[in-house]
Amino acid sequence: MKEVILIKLGEIVLKGLNRKNFEDRLIKNIKHRLHFIGPCKVKNAQSAITVTPIFDDVDIEDVAYCISKIFGIAAFSRACAVEKDIEVIKKSAGEYLADHFGRISSFKVEAKRSDKKFPFTSPEIAKEVGGYLADLYPEVAVDVHNPDAVVTVEIRDDAAYIHSEVFRGAGGIPVGTGGNGAILISGGIDSPVAAYMMAKRGIELTAIHFASPPYTSERAEEKVVSLLKKVSEYSGKMKMYTVPFTKIQEEIRDKCHEEYFTIIMRRFMMMIAQKIAAENDCQALITGESLGQVASQTIGAIACTDEVCKMPVFRPLIGMDKEEIISISRKIDTFDISIQPYEDCCTVFTPKHPRTRPVLKNVIEEQNKIDYEPLIAEAVENVKITEI
Ligand code: ATP
Ligand code: MG
């Protein structure tokens, strides 16, 4: 008896003629992710994707865990694949579902027969298997209206599949089908959540992190790497660019009026990020900003920041409360890393009274006190690349 994973596609099915592209990309993503767990056969046939571990030492639990984080999958089940013989199917169902039947009090059987050569009709299969299970587990009642569990028997071309528990998938659409985006990532709670949310909409990520040693430490950067590793369980692999930002921040501190420190810093971040984004074929920037959370995230401040942006800036958290953001960060397991107390370049040289309603003309005037083009070019030239 071989255990496999049966996958139910998500929104992909809505995509009409693009469906094939979406499916192909999903399969590529599944193969790539499973590569780290063990060799598996991934087959797309009769409108279902089946994942079969090739060797017995591959833990199906690990495969299921990995599958649960791949976008484009609405739901999945663990199933056993057996010979298409009604006696074998009955006996296997009895054995395979033993644990599950220990936890439920009622069930029904549904059958789907896509191999029309199989000598029993769907209602006959359901009746045969249901009767067998009812005899084997007399303490579990048959309930066709509101059962605890629906046992499904699918007769496909290659085998018969038996499954019962359905697990929720990660939803969304396959990473890579939505283009590329550059996530500005700090060590905070918000930006990893923003990265996760855009990957869920099919965007492949490139990460950009600004570091200001010695004001920010090596540990702060390692923290960002740990966060991105967590995000990559959903988004797949990515490149992380660490941008040396110290000189620019010191220039701002030395030359600009304190009220404008943050806003000018953010404009420089966006200018640099766009250059790195363009080099990586990214069509949008992504940030973890949420309206009104801090002084640099008021409408006025965001407008002043965006004035330097020629590509769209996606801010998936813009309308969310901190509590909502935290609940996603717990779900994707980044919260405990995010709350480790390391400094971020945004928290060095912070003004005591930042402008919440900056006037663009004044911001530009302050910014122009710096000969910034060469500094930006130097920062971009000296980025460090880490593979996540
Ligand atoms: P986070 O929790 O993600 O740090 P935050 O609420 O602390 O966000 P800010 O520090 O104002 O907010 O940063 C707003 C956004 O700017 C972040 O969500 C992130 O996208 C970006 N950002 C902040 N610091 C950095 C950094 N050091 N490197 C790259 N991007 C950054
Ligand atoms: Mg931050």
Side-chain angles (χ1 to χ4, degrees):
M1 192 164 29
K2 182 116 189 147
E3 213 177 358
V4 305
I5 306 274
L6 291 182
I7 289 174
K8 188 167 165 284
L9 302 182
E11 264 178 63
I12 287 183
V13 290
L14 303 175
K15 300 292 173 190
L17 289 175
N18 270 337
R19 180 178 170 139
K20 175 139 180 25
N21 290 346
F22 279 68
E23 280 187 8
D24 288 351
R25 183 63 200 223
L26 176 61
I27 287 168
K28 190 175 150 198
N29 292 351
I30 293 172
K31 283 182 177 162
H32 190 266
R33 278 333 151 70
L34 287 175
H35 180 77
F36 298 99
I37 291 178
C40 292
K41 203 169 95 192
V42 181
K43 208 173 105 183
N44 185 12
Q46 296 173 299
S47 55
I49 295 176
T50 318
V51 178
T52 312
I54 292 173
F55 302 118
D56 288 341
D57 63 346
V58 175
D59 190 341
I60 197 82
E61 195 91 41
D62 293 342
V63 176
Y65 180 75
C66 180
I67 294 285
S68 74
K69 295 187 170 191
I70 298 177
F71 293 130
I73 296 174
F76 65 93
S77 316
R78 286 168 60 165
C80 82
V82 298
E83 190 193 330
K84 289 190 283 183
D85 174 293
I86 194 71
E87 292 308 317
V88 176
I89 292 170
K90 279 156 53 175
K91 203 162 159 283
S92 307
E95 279 171 34
Y96 182 64
L97 299 171
D99 275 353
H100 192 206
F101 269 57
R103 286 179 268 125
I104 58 173
S105 53
S106 62
F107 81 103
K108 75 168 174 180
V109 177
E110 279 179 0
K112 292 181 200 156
R113 185 181 61 146
S114 48
D115 170 11
K116 300 295 179 203
K117 291 204 281 301
F118 190 71
F120 294 79
T121 63
S122 296
E124 285 166 356
I125 300 165
K127 197 163 162 241
E128 282 284 324
V129 178
Y132 179 86
L133 290 173
D135 288 346
L136 191 62
Y137 300 105
E139 65 288 358
V140 183
V142 175
D143 180 350
V144 291
H145 299 295
N146 192 21
D148 287 348
V150 178
V151 173
T152 307
V153 179
E154 295 184 40
I155 311 292
R156 304 238 194 113
D157 286 346
D158 58 344
Y161 294 86
I162 304 155
H163 54 97
S164 180
E165 268 175 294
V166 179
F167 302 95
R168 206 163 148 177
I173 48 184
V175 170
T177 56
N180 303 324
I183 170 75
L184 280 78
I185 183 107
S186 69
I189 294 168
D190 305 330
S191 42
V193 172
Y196 159 83
M197 286 178 70
M198 294 322 300
K200 187 171 184 178
R201 298 315 301 165
I203 289 199
E204 195 164 355
L205 301 172
T206 296
I208 303 175
H209 174 64
F210 293 86
S212 288
Y215 307 105
T216 62
S217 64
E218 191 87 12
R219 295 294 297 278
E221 197 184 324
E222 284 164 15
K223 178 185 172 184
V224 175
V225 171
S226 311
L227 286 170
L228 288 176
K229 280 189 180 152
K230 286 284 179 191
V231 171
S232 74
E233 290 182 20
Y234 293 90
S235 68
K237 67 181 165 62
M238 70 182 108
K239 270 191 202 160
M240 168 183 166
Y241 287 76
T242 305
V243 182
F245 206 43
T246 316
K247 251 195 193 171
I248 292 178
Q249 284 199 285
E250 286 176 341
E251 279 282 299
I252 300 173
R253 179 197 58 191
D254 295 343
K255 298 197 172 144
C256 304
H257 193 291
E258 193 189 340
E259 285 183 331
Y260 293 104
F261 280 3
T262 311
I263 201 85
I264 294 172
M265 179 194 70
R266 298 201 64 77
R267 284 165 63 95
F268 288 148
M269 279 184 166
M270 293 305 212
M271 291 183 210
I272 293 170
Q274 286 178 100
K275 288 188 193 289
I276 297 170
E279 275 172 25
N280 285 277
D281 294 324
C282 294
Q283 296 139 293
L285 300 180
I286 303 161
T287 75
E289 290 160 299
S290 159
L291 195 63
Q293 201 186 72
V294 288
S296 64
Q297 296 175 23
T298 61
I299 289 192
I302 288 177
C304 282
T305 306
D306 274 6
E307 198 260 339
V308 300
C309 296
K310 295 197 177 56
M311 51 176 73
V313 182
F314 292 162
R315 296 180 168 91
L317 314 185
I318 198 72
M320 291 171 75
D321 291 347
K322 199 73 185 181
E323 278 312 309
E324 294 170 296
I325 300 168
I326 288 175
S327 98
I328 300 178
S329 81
R330 287 192 197 279
K331 186 179 101 177
I332 63 172
D333 207 19
T334 52
F335 182 75
D336 290 337
I337 306 173
S338 290
I339 58 172
Q340 290 169 12
Y342 296 110
E343 59 300 313
D344 181 58
C345 72
C346 282
T347 54
V348 297
F349 314 140
T350 44
K352 273 185 219 75
H353 304 289
R355 282 246 162 203
T356 51
R357 291 187 198 171
V359 177
L360 182 61
K361 186 169 94 18
N362 300 345
V363 173
I364 294 173
E365 216 172 274
E366 285 299 309
Q367 175 188 301
N368 286 342
K369 291 180 180 169
I370 303 174
D371 180 19
Y372 56 83
E373 287 295 354
L375 289 172
I376 286 178
E378 188 186 330
V380 172
E381 213 159 277
N382 290 301
V383 292
K384 184 179 94 187
I385 301 177
T386 312
E387 298 286 344
I388 306 285

